[in-house]
Amino acid sequence: MRTKVTDSTRQGSPEEMRHVKRTTGPEAAVARLWQEHLGERFPAELRGAELAGADLVLLDASIAGCVSVWLNQGGALDTERLGILCDCIADLEQILPMLNEPEGLRYYQRLHQLALLVSTAEDSKTTK
C-alpha cells in the first residue's frame, strides 16, 4: 500500500514496473493503468472525506494494496484480498455518482476500472 497519499512522485516497485513492459493481457492493462494512477495526486478536496459511509483515503489505499499485490504476485490475489476488492467495488459504485469535482471523479473512476480489471481477471481464473 502507498504510505503517503499526497506524494506526487509515487513509483511502482521493480516487480510492478516489470509488468508495464508486457503488451497484452490483463496484467499489461492493469500495469499501464496503475502507472497512470501512481502519477496522480490524491484529490485535495477529498482528503478526510467520507461518502456513503466509506472513508475515501482508506478506499484508495485498500484498492492500491490489492492492485499492488496482484501485480507483484504475477496476476494472483488471495481470497481475503479479493473479498476486500469486491467490497471496494461495491463502495465505489455507490460513491461515483456522488462525486461532483472532475478531478476526484476521474481519480475514483480509474480506481474503479483497476479494481474491476483485477477482479475480472481473478473471476476468469476460477471459471476455467
Side-chain angles (χ1 to χ4, degrees):
M1 272 191 225
R2 289 178 272 157
T3 56
K4 191 173 182 185
V5 175
T6 59
D7 185 2
S8 65
T9 59
R10 299 177 292 192
Q11 294 182 351
S13 70
E15 187 67 19
E16 291 167 350
M17 296 303 291
R18 177 177 69 81
H19 296 288
V20 174
K21 295 176 182 163
R22 296 187 181 182
T23 57
T24 61
E27 281 186 58
V30 170
R32 281 191 298 273
L33 197 56
W34 179 237
Q35 287 307 304
E36 179 184 324
H37 186 71
L38 290 175
E40 295 293 323
R41 286 181 176 248
F42 186 85
E45 72 274 4
L46 297 178
R47 284 189 200 113
E50 245 186 61
L51 289 173
D55 179 311
L56 296 185
V57 172
L58 182 58
L59 184 61
D60 173 45
S62 297
I63 295 170
C66 291
V67 170
S68 180
V69 166
W70 188 82
L71 285 169
N72 286 328
Q73 293 183 354
L77 203 59
D78 59 81
T79 305
E80 182 180 352
R81 285 189 182 91
L82 183 57
I84 291 168
L85 193 61
C86 289
D87 290 345
C88 290
I89 291 168
D91 287 344
L92 280 170
E93 289 172 356
Q94 291 182 10
I95 290 166
L96 285 172
M98 299 175 179
L99 292 171
N100 299 320
E101 296 292 324
E103 180 185 6
L105 182 59
R106 277 192 307 276
Y107 190 89
Y108 279 93
Q109 283 174 330
R110 184 175 41 250
L111 276 174
H112 188 242
Q113 187 177 4
L114 277 163
L116 287 173
L117 284 167
V118 170
S119 69
T120 302
E122 286 299 308
D123 286 346
S124 70
K125 289 178 190 176
T126 61
T127 58
K128 286 184 178 180

